[in-house]
């Protein structure tokens, strides 16, 4: 299972914000895309999902070309996407939010129990409105909801943003436990977290991939310098 992005560029109106970005997101390893504010990380996720004007060579899910297909087609091809921020339905309960994840895969099946083991707060607040959860709890709900749909490719945009350390650890544990079943792309700025979970990293600067490599061999001082500026 893999998502292969080849030389894509993206524009908002007149401005090109991504240039020739190529990424391999492969099952069996956690792939991270890092970069400072405004580097183009979210735009990369939006380009993969079809949410921004994109040109380039290809975006493939296994052998299927999705570059010029509409958003729903990409979702149907198995990409699960948790956007930056709190992407839940505030007026629906936790349970209803999770059931929407089932809708994404024909409404069949059950909410898997392991999600309540890793995110026990969701079980506690099953009947509470999503909008009444804390920001961190909403993030856990957003991740759980997309996992309910059993995606083949999982894209999380800044899952640790505004989240306390113990929950960040839980999220890291879930990601690692899923990497043999799902091709995972994590978009992050929190370097310590990235160095803990990533097997392979891409570094975006001004819309281009400037550095890439296995986490173990990357120059940590250079990464720190790029991210700290
Ligand atoms: N809808 C938009 N219209 C015009 N320009 C945009 C739009 N969204 C983002 N941009 C610009 O594109 C560039 C990349 O933005 P993007 O959101 O991809 O950055 P990011 O790496 O996700 O940053 P952050 O870490 O702050 O989330 C920025 O210069 C931003 O101002
Ligand atoms: Mg962003």
């Amino acid at each position: 299972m893999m998502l292969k992005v080849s030389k894509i560029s993206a524009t908002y109106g007149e401005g090109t914000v991504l240039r020739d970005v190529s990424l391999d997101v492969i099952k069996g390893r956690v792939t991270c895309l890092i970069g400072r504010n405004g580097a183009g990380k979210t735009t990369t996720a939006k380009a993969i999902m079809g949410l921004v004007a994109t040109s380039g060579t290809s975006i493939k899910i296994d052998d299927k070309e999705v570059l010029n297909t509409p958003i729903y087609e990409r979702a149907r091809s198995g990409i699960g996407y948790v956007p930056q921020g709190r992407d839940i339905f505030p007026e629906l309960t936790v349970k209803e939010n999770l059931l929407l994840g089932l809708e994404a895969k024909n409404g069949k099946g059950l909410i898997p129990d392991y999600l309540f083991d890793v995110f026990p707060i969701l079980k506690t607040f099953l009947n509470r409105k999503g909008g009444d959860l804390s920001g961190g709890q909403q993030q856990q709900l957003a991740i759980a909801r997309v996992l309910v749909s059993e995606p083949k490719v999982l894209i999380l945009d800044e899952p640790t943003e505004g989240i306390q350390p113990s929950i960040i650890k839980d999220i890291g544990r879930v990601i690692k436990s899923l990497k043999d079943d799902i091709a995972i792309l994590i978009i992050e700025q929190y370097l310590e977290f990235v160095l803990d979970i990533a097997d392979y990293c891409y570094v975006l600067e001004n819309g281009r991939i400037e550095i890439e490599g296995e986490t173990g061999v990357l120059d940590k001082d250079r990464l720190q310098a790029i991210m700290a500026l």
Side-chain angles (χ1 to χ4, degrees):
M1 182 73 238
M2 78 178 288
L3 166 70
K4 190 172 181 65
V5 174
S6 305
K7 291 199 166 183
I8 58 161
S9 299
T11 50
Y12 292 112
E14 302 282 281
T16 299
V17 296
L18 279 190
R19 290 178 184 83
D20 291 336
V21 168
S22 298
L23 301 168
D24 288 349
V25 182
I26 306 170
K27 196 168 88 170
R29 74 183 194 192
V30 175
T31 304
C32 282
L33 177 66
I34 65 176
R36 280 157 33 205
N37 290 127
K41 303 182 297 298
T42 296
T43 305
T44 303
K46 287 183 176 170
I48 293 168
M49 294 311 294
L51 297 165
V52 59
T54 308
S55 62
T57 305
S58 92
I59 300 173
K60 276 188 171 174
I61 301 166
D62 284 336
D63 290 331
K64 188 175 177 190
E65 179 59 62
V66 298
L67 179 61
N68 293 310
T69 63
I71 302 162
Y72 66 84
E73 186 67 35
R74 304 188 197 197
R76 201 185 289 159
S77 301
I79 309 183
Y81 170 46
V82 179
Q84 190 167 7
R86 272 95 229 210
D87 177 49
I88 54 122
F89 293 91
E91 292 304 318
L92 299 183
T93 65
V94 167
K95 187 176 183 182
E96 289 163 343
N97 269 279
L98 292 171
L99 289 173
L100 284 178
L102 282 184
E103 287 300 317
K105 55 157 204 153
N106 311 323
K108 296 202 182 84
L110 295 167
I111 299 165
D113 275 338
Y114 85 90
L115 289 174
F116 297 119
D117 294 337
V118 287
F119 300 130
I121 201 73
L122 299 181
K123 190 160 200 168
T124 310
F125 292 149
L126 210 51
N127 296 310
R128 186 177 283 199
K129 275 189 181 175
D132 293 338
L133 300 181
S134 74
Q137 291 162 352
Q138 290 184 27
Q139 179 67 271
Q140 294 174 72
L141 176 56
I143 295 171
R145 191 184 69 209
V146 81
L147 289 175
V148 166
S149 72
E150 297 183 345
K152 292 189 266 183
V153 179
L154 176 66
I155 302 175
L156 303 182
D157 192 351
E158 300 214 29
T160 71
E161 199 175 26
I163 308 269
Q164 71 187 54
S166 71
I167 305 300
I168 291 177
K169 281 211 176 75
D170 291 341
I171 292 173
R173 221 175 290 132
V174 183
I175 290 168
K176 286 183 200 168
S177 74
L178 293 170
K179 75 174 176 184
D180 289 329
D181 301 310
I182 307 176
I184 302 177
L185 177 64
I186 308 294
I187 293 171
E188 261 302 336
Q189 306 195 43
Y190 179 23
L191 195 54
E192 200 182 319
F193 177 71
V194 168
L195 295 177
D196 176 41
I197 62 161
D199 297 292
Y200 199 92
C201 292
Y202 292 92
V203 184
L204 257 185
E205 275 190 281
N206 297 320
R208 290 180 192 276
I209 303 287
E210 293 293 350
I211 305 173
E212 66 169 277
E214 288 179 21
T215 312
V217 304
L218 288 176
D219 180 344
K220 305 300 176 308
D221 292 337
R222 190 168 168 215
L223 290 186
Q224 225 130 29
I226 289 171
M227 299 304 290
L229 283 172

